[in-house]
Amino acid sequence: KEKDEIIARCIDLTIQLFPNDAKGHSMKGDFMATLHKEREAIEAYEKTLQLDPSKSAVWIALLSIYENSYDIDPNEWQKKAQEAIDIFNFTPDFYKSKYKAEYRLGAFNSMIESCDAGLAILIDDEREKAIFQLDKIFALGALGKIKEATALAQQVFQTKKTETSALIVQNLLWLSVYFHFSLPEIEV
């Protein structure tokens, strides 16, 4: 506790000496996050991004706080994820963060759009594509679009059969049971 107070004072002094330097605010955000002081971390990260919005690692840290806290309004999370996308529209993690916020909001149509936007920029990462597709299947199922969910699930299963990890197959099977659709037989 005493060590934490010393570190906090050093960071605050750094910010006082260099108030327009994004690094000091970023350090404060990181430190507050380690202390699980989410609001203070968010404030520090937001100040960092006001000073330098090009800090993708700070965007990731900020969005991670939103994802891991159920006390924060998911509308704020969705808005921040969109801001990150507006700057880094080539980064799949920001699309994933946005659709996770939309999931928490129950905004499944928006979730599908965010999944599609993320899929559009993924090129070589088959595992990451499968994760986006699994989440899209869930959103389709949640909207009662079982035929579309089934078709996408079968496509994912067939396309990825040789390279699909056990976890992706397990999730496809879980979704098929949850939303009552069928998948091709699994060869063992």
Side-chain angles (χ1 to χ4, degrees):
K1 183 139 175 133
E2 186 178 321
K3 197 186 273 187
D4 290 345
E5 290 173 11
I6 293 170
I7 293 169
R9 280 187 284 177
C10 288
I11 293 171
D12 287 341
L13 181 59
T14 301
I15 291 171
Q16 286 176 5
L17 293 171
F18 306 99
N20 294 322
D21 185 7
K23 288 181 185 177
H25 296 282
S26 177
M27 284 188 330
K28 184 171 184 174
D30 292 342
F31 185 63
M32 292 296 117
T34 63
L35 298 177
H36 304 288
K37 294 183 176 184
E38 288 87 6
R39 280 287 166 201
E40 291 93 336
I42 288 171
E43 289 173 18
Y45 287 143
E46 286 180 349
K47 181 63 177 177
T48 304
L49 295 170
Q50 285 174 358
L51 295 168
D52 187 356
S54 69
K55 302 257 184 223
S56 64
V58 175
W59 282 105
I60 290 168
L62 175 64
L63 295 173
S64 176
I65 290 172
Y66 281 111
E67 180 177 349
N68 294 312
S69 177
Y70 286 85
D71 297 332
I72 300 171
D73 181 3
N75 286 296
E76 290 180 44
W77 178 16
Q78 181 188 30
K79 181 180 172 232
K80 286 298 177 186
Q82 184 59 54
E83 288 177 28
I85 290 168
D86 291 344
I87 298 168
F88 302 98
N89 61 357
F90 52 86
T91 307
D93 285 341
F94 297 139
Y95 291 92
K96 190 185 295 182
S97 184
K98 184 175 182 222
Y99 78 63
K100 287 179 178 180
E102 292 161 345
Y103 163 79
R104 202 168 288 167
L105 289 165
F108 298 113
N109 284 315
S110 296
M111 185 178 169
I112 291 167
E113 291 172 14
S114 296
C115 286
D116 286 340
L119 283 164
I121 62 169
L122 283 165
I123 297 172
D124 293 329
D125 192 339
E126 293 302 319
R127 182 183 174 282
E128 195 67 18
K129 281 183 188 177
I131 291 168
F132 273 77
Q133 290 168 320
L134 286 169
D135 290 328
K136 181 178 177 179
I137 291 165
F138 178 85
L140 289 166
L143 290 170
K145 298 180 178 184
I146 302 305
K147 286 183 181 177
E148 290 177 56
T150 302
L152 181 56
Q154 290 177 343
Q155 175 191 339
V156 169
F157 187 78
Q158 291 300 327
T159 306
K160 316 243 184 295
K161 196 190 292 188
T162 57
E163 64 214 47
T164 303
S165 74
L167 183 60
I168 291 171
V169 171
Q170 180 183 10
N171 279 294
L172 278 172
L173 292 172
W174 178 86
L175 287 166
S176 71
V177 170
Y178 190 78
F179 292 117
H180 306 290
F181 60 78
S182 60
L183 290 171
E185 291 293 319
I186 298 174
E187 298 172 15
V188 181

